[in-house]
Amino acid sequence: MIDLRVVVQIVVVWLVMGLSAMVVGWLVLFGFFIKSAGLVAIGMIGPFAVIFLVGTFTPKGSPLTQTAGRRVGWAALVTLFGLVGAVFYMAVLEASEPAKPPTLVGIVGLGLPFALVAAVLAHGLVVRLTAGVVTVAAVAFGIWLPGTMPADDGASRIAHAKLPGGVLLIATPEGYDFPRLTVADGRATLSYSSRSADQRLDWHPRLSLEPATGETTDLVYQRNYDDHVFVRRMGDVDVTAVVSDDADVDAAREFVLSVRPATDDEVKRLLPRAPGRNDRNVLGRFAATWTRLAE
């Protein structure tokens, strides 16, 4: 039979840590945001003190809360490993966006990791084993759940941006910065810049992507004031390369012929995330949060 004093200790830890998240949680989050381990530690002083008091008033709930000296260690373990669990819980919520759980669910969820740690340290083999099983199941569920939702990918970003032809085409000429992309009035424009006029395409070549209008797939050369202009049809898209006539015409031709579909990583660099899509990698988010404190 489970000792009622054990249950009381675990439940009280759960409640007070959920409430503490409302009071000082913002400070801990800010510490992670500005990559300050010191600020995170300061933010957890209050919860540590509260947990110590819970142990003081429920000394029979765990073998580690029966004396003042042991309570310090118990409170430290609950605070530290509870924080680890709370960070994991936040990673699950972020990976599950745009789903928005009720505020009460958020508070209850933030208090649960601390309660599970307290249960692992409590009296009674049944309680400890149950807490371990629940912890493993919760972690597995938290990793699995976001994976059932549509993930962020290049295709969803392209569809949201409504690019001509439903594709992002790109060239990456040597010696030029990664392009800037603007999308307006059914046209996508990739603008390039170089730090030196010695580059083969001069300072600022650009590519324009528009719905295809002609039948020919042959490369078409035009002159437009002081620019070399090449038009190339790729699928349902007309690709127009505009290069200063200070550049060699052969270099301009090679530029437009090098155009290709963008990789998924390139799409993500150029286009914003589509609504309702997110990075569903919970473990990656969790690791990145802790890595920020080490930077």
Side-chain angles (χ1 to χ4, degrees), residues 122-140:
H123 276 298
L125 180 60
V126 173
V127 174
R128 293 196 294 270
L129 288 177
T130 301
V133 170
V134 171
T135 299
V136 172
V139 170

PDB file of all heavy atoms in Angstrom, residues 122-140:
ATOM      1  N   ALA A 122      11.189   9.091  -4.001  1.00  0.00           N
ATOM      2  CA  ALA A 122      10.276   8.906  -2.872  1.00  0.00           C
ATOM      3  C   ALA A 122      10.426   7.525  -2.235  1.00  0.00           C
ATOM      4  O   ALA A 122      11.112   6.642  -2.741  1.00  0.00           O
ATOM      5  CB  ALA A 122       8.833   9.104  -3.341  1.00  0.00           C
ATOM      6  N   HIS A 123       9.760   7.353  -1.104  1.00  0.00           N
ATOM      7  CA  HIS A 123       9.682   6.040  -0.462  1.00  0.00           C
ATOM      8  C   HIS A 123       8.831   5.102  -1.330  1.00  0.00           C
ATOM      9  O   HIS A 123       7.877   5.535  -1.970  1.00  0.00           O
ATOM     10  CB  HIS A 123       8.992   6.165   0.908  1.00  0.00           C
ATOM     11  CG  HIS A 123       9.922   6.577   2.006  1.00  0.00           C
ATOM     12  ND1 HIS A 123      11.015   5.825   2.401  1.00  0.00           N
ATOM     13  CD2 HIS A 123       9.890   7.673   2.821  1.00  0.00           C
ATOM     14  CE1 HIS A 123      11.630   6.444   3.399  1.00  0.00           C
ATOM     15  NE2 HIS A 123      10.982   7.562   3.673  1.00  0.00           N
ATOM     16  N   GLY A 124       9.177   3.838  -1.340  1.00  0.00           N
ATOM     17  CA  GLY A 124       8.334   2.835  -1.984  1.00  0.00           C
ATOM     18  C   GLY A 124       8.811   2.445  -3.364  1.00  0.00           C
ATOM     19  O   GLY A 124       8.898   3.289  -4.268  1.00  0.00           O
ATOM     20  N   LEU A 125       9.111   1.157  -3.532  1.00  0.00           N
ATOM     21  CA  LEU A 125       9.596   0.663  -4.818  1.00  0.00           C
ATOM     22  C   LEU A 125       8.537   0.821  -5.909  1.00  0.00           C
ATOM     23  O   LEU A 125       8.867   1.162  -7.050  1.00  0.00           O
ATOM     24  CB  LEU A 125       9.981  -0.824  -4.685  1.00  0.00           C
ATOM     25  CG  LEU A 125      10.516  -1.501  -5.957  1.00  0.00           C
ATOM     26  CD1 LEU A 125      11.776  -0.803  -6.432  1.00  0.00           C
ATOM     27  CD2 LEU A 125      10.766  -2.982  -5.693  1.00  0.00           C
ATOM     28  N   VAL A 126       7.288   0.597  -5.567  1.00  0.00           N
ATOM     29  CA  VAL A 126       6.211   0.716  -6.547  1.00  0.00           C
ATOM     30  C   VAL A 126       6.131   2.137  -7.084  1.00  0.00           C
ATOM     31  O   VAL A 126       5.981   2.362  -8.291  1.00  0.00           O
ATOM     32  CB  VAL A 126       4.864   0.293  -5.930  1.00  0.00           C
ATOM     33  CG1 VAL A 126       3.717   0.592  -6.895  1.00  0.00           C
ATOM     34  CG2 VAL A 126       4.872  -1.183  -5.570  1.00  0.00           C
ATOM     35  N   VAL A 127       6.246   3.114  -6.189  1.00  0.00           N
ATOM     36  CA  VAL A 127       6.185   4.524  -6.597  1.00  0.00           C
ATOM     37  C   VAL A 127       7.344   4.850  -7.524  1.00  0.00           C
ATOM     38  O   VAL A 127       7.176   5.487  -8.573  1.00  0.00           O
ATOM     39  CB  VAL A 127       6.205   5.449  -5.363  1.00  0.00           C
ATOM     40  CG1 VAL A 127       6.285   6.916  -5.787  1.00  0.00           C
ATOM     41  CG2 VAL A 127       4.968   5.216  -4.506  1.00  0.00           C
ATOM     42  N   ARG A 128       8.530   4.394  -7.162  1.00  0.00           N
ATOM     43  CA  ARG A 128       9.707   4.713  -7.975  1.00  0.00           C
ATOM     44  C   ARG A 128       9.634   4.060  -9.347  1.00  0.00           C
ATOM     45  O   ARG A 128       9.948   4.677 -10.369  1.00  0.00           O
ATOM     46  CB  ARG A 128      10.976   4.280  -7.237  1.00  0.00           C
ATOM     47  CG  ARG A 128      11.246   5.079  -5.972  1.00  0.00           C
ATOM     48  CD  ARG A 128      12.672   4.906  -5.504  1.00  0.00           C
ATOM     49  NE  ARG A 128      12.946   3.538  -5.070  1.00  0.00           N
ATOM     50  CZ  ARG A 128      12.781   3.104  -3.821  1.00  0.00           C
ATOM     51  NH1 ARG A 128      12.329   3.947  -2.886  1.00  0.00           N
ATOM     52  NH2 ARG A 128      13.065   1.856  -3.490  1.00  0.00           N
ATOM     53  N   LEU A 129       9.215   2.797  -9.382  1.00  0.00           N
ATOM     54  CA  LEU A 129       9.103   2.110 -10.671  1.00  0.00           C
ATOM     55  C   LEU A 129       8.025   2.756 -11.550  1.00  0.00           C
ATOM     56  O   LEU A 129       8.208   2.923 -12.758  1.00  0.00           O
ATOM     57  CB  LEU A 129       8.789   0.637 -10.451  1.00  0.00           C
ATOM     58  CG  LEU A 129       9.938  -0.225  -9.907  1.00  0.00           C
ATOM     59  CD1 LEU A 129       9.454  -1.650  -9.667  1.00  0.00           C
ATOM     60  CD2 LEU A 129      11.123  -0.227 -10.873  1.00  0.00           C
ATOM     61  N   THR A 130       6.903   3.101 -10.937  1.00  0.00           N
ATOM     62  CA  THR A 130       5.825   3.753 -11.685  1.00  0.00           C
ATOM     63  C   THR A 130       6.297   5.078 -12.268  1.00  0.00           C
ATOM     64  O   THR A 130       6.016   5.407 -13.429  1.00  0.00           O
ATOM     65  CB  THR A 130       4.600   3.978 -10.789  1.00  0.00           C
ATOM     66  OG1 THR A 130       4.144   2.723 -10.271  1.00  0.00           O
ATOM     67  CG2 THR A 130       3.480   4.653 -11.557  1.00  0.00           C
ATOM     68  N   ALA A 131       7.033   5.855 -11.466  1.00  0.00           N
ATOM     69  CA  ALA A 131       7.548   7.142 -11.937  1.00  0.00           C
ATOM     70  C   ALA A 131       8.511   6.944 -13.100  1.00  0.00           C
ATOM     71  O   ALA A 131       8.493   7.709 -14.075  1.00  0.00           O
ATOM     72  CB  ALA A 131       8.239   7.874 -10.794  1.00  0.00           C
ATOM     73  N   GLY A 132       9.339   5.907 -13.013  1.00  0.00           N
ATOM     74  CA  GLY A 132      10.277   5.645 -14.103  1.00  0.00           C
ATOM     75  C   GLY A 132       9.563   5.284 -15.392  1.00  0.00           C
ATOM     76  O   GLY A 132       9.917   5.764 -16.469  1.00  0.00           O
ATOM     77  N   VAL A 133       8.537   4.419 -15.283  1.00  0.00           N
ATOM     78  CA  VAL A 133       7.772   4.013 -16.465  1.00  0.00           C
ATOM     79  C   VAL A 133       7.044   5.208 -17.073  1.00  0.00           C
ATOM     80  O   VAL A 133       7.036   5.392 -18.300  1.00  0.00           O
ATOM     81  CB  VAL A 133       6.776   2.898 -16.099  1.00  0.00           C
ATOM     82  CG1 VAL A 133       5.813   2.640 -17.259  1.00  0.00           C
ATOM     83  CG2 VAL A 133       7.515   1.621 -15.729  1.00  0.00           C
ATOM     84  N   VAL A 134       6.429   6.024 -16.225  1.00  0.00           N
ATOM     85  CA  VAL A 134       5.710   7.208 -16.722  1.00  0.00           C
ATOM     86  C   VAL A 134       6.670   8.176 -17.410  1.00  0.00           C
ATOM     87  O   VAL A 134       6.354   8.762 -18.450  1.00  0.00           O
ATOM     88  CB  VAL A 134       4.974   7.912 -15.566  1.00  0.00           C
ATOM     89  CG1 VAL A 134       4.410   9.258 -16.025  1.00  0.00           C
ATOM     90  CG2 VAL A 134       3.846   7.034 -15.039  1.00  0.00           C
ATOM     91  N   THR A 135       7.866   8.332 -16.854  1.00  0.00           N
ATOM     92  CA  THR A 135       8.854   9.238 -17.451  1.00  0.00           C
ATOM     93  C   THR A 135       9.259   8.766 -18.841  1.00  0.00           C
ATOM     94  O   THR A 135       9.286   9.552 -19.797  1.00  0.00           O
ATOM     95  CB  THR A 135      10.100   9.333 -16.552  1.00  0.00           C
ATOM     96  OG1 THR A 135       9.723   9.857 -15.273  1.00  0.00           O
ATOM     97  CG2 THR A 135      11.142  10.240 -17.184  1.00  0.00           C
ATOM     98  N   VAL A 136       9.575   7.481 -18.957  1.00  0.00           N
ATOM     99  CA  VAL A 136       9.973   6.934 -20.261  1.00  0.00           C
ATOM    100  C   VAL A 136       8.832   7.067 -21.266  1.00  0.00           C
ATOM    101  O   VAL A 136       9.040   7.457 -22.424  1.00  0.00           O
ATOM    102  CB  VAL A 136      10.401   5.458 -20.114  1.00  0.00           C
ATOM    103  CG1 VAL A 136      10.623   4.834 -21.492  1.00  0.00           C
ATOM    104  CG2 VAL A 136      11.673   5.359 -19.281  1.00  0.00           C
ATOM    105  N   ALA A 137       7.610   6.778 -20.825  1.00  0.00           N
ATOM    106  CA  ALA A 137       6.455   6.867 -21.723  1.00  0.00           C
ATOM    107  C   ALA A 137       6.209   8.307 -22.152  1.00  0.00           C
ATOM    108  O   ALA A 137       5.885   8.576 -23.321  1.00  0.00           O
ATOM    109  CB  ALA A 137       5.220   6.303 -21.023  1.00  0.00           C
ATOM    110  N   ALA A 138       6.376   9.246 -21.221  1.00  0.00           N
ATOM    111  CA  ALA A 138       6.146  10.662 -21.547  1.00  0.00           C
ATOM    112  C   ALA A 138       7.175  11.166 -22.555  1.00  0.00           C
ATOM    113  O   ALA A 138       6.850  11.910 -23.482  1.00  0.00           O
ATOM    114  CB  ALA A 138       6.196  11.498 -20.272  1.00  0.00           C
ATOM    115  N   VAL A 139       8.433  10.754 -22.378  1.00  0.00           N
ATOM    116  CA  VAL A 139       9.478  11.166 -23.323  1.00  0.00           C
ATOM    117  C   VAL A 139       9.200  10.587 -24.707  1.00  0.00           C
ATOM    118  O   VAL A 139       9.286  11.298 -25.720  1.00  0.00           O
ATOM    119  CB  VAL A 139      10.865  10.724 -22.818  1.00  0.00           C
ATOM    120  CG1 VAL A 139      11.922  10.933 -23.900  1.00  0.00           C
ATOM    121  CG2 VAL A 139      11.241  11.495 -21.556  1.00  0.00           C
ATOM    122  N   ALA A 140       8.854   9.307 -24.751  1.00  0.00           N
ATOM    123  CA  ALA A 140       8.553   8.668 -26.034  1.00  0.00           C
ATOM    124  C   ALA A 140       7.364   9.334 -26.720  1.00  0.00           C
ATOM    125  O   ALA A 140       7.382   9.589 -27.931  1.00  0.00           O
ATOM    126  CB  ALA A 140       8.282   7.178 -25.827  1.00  0.00           C
TER     127      ALA A 140
END
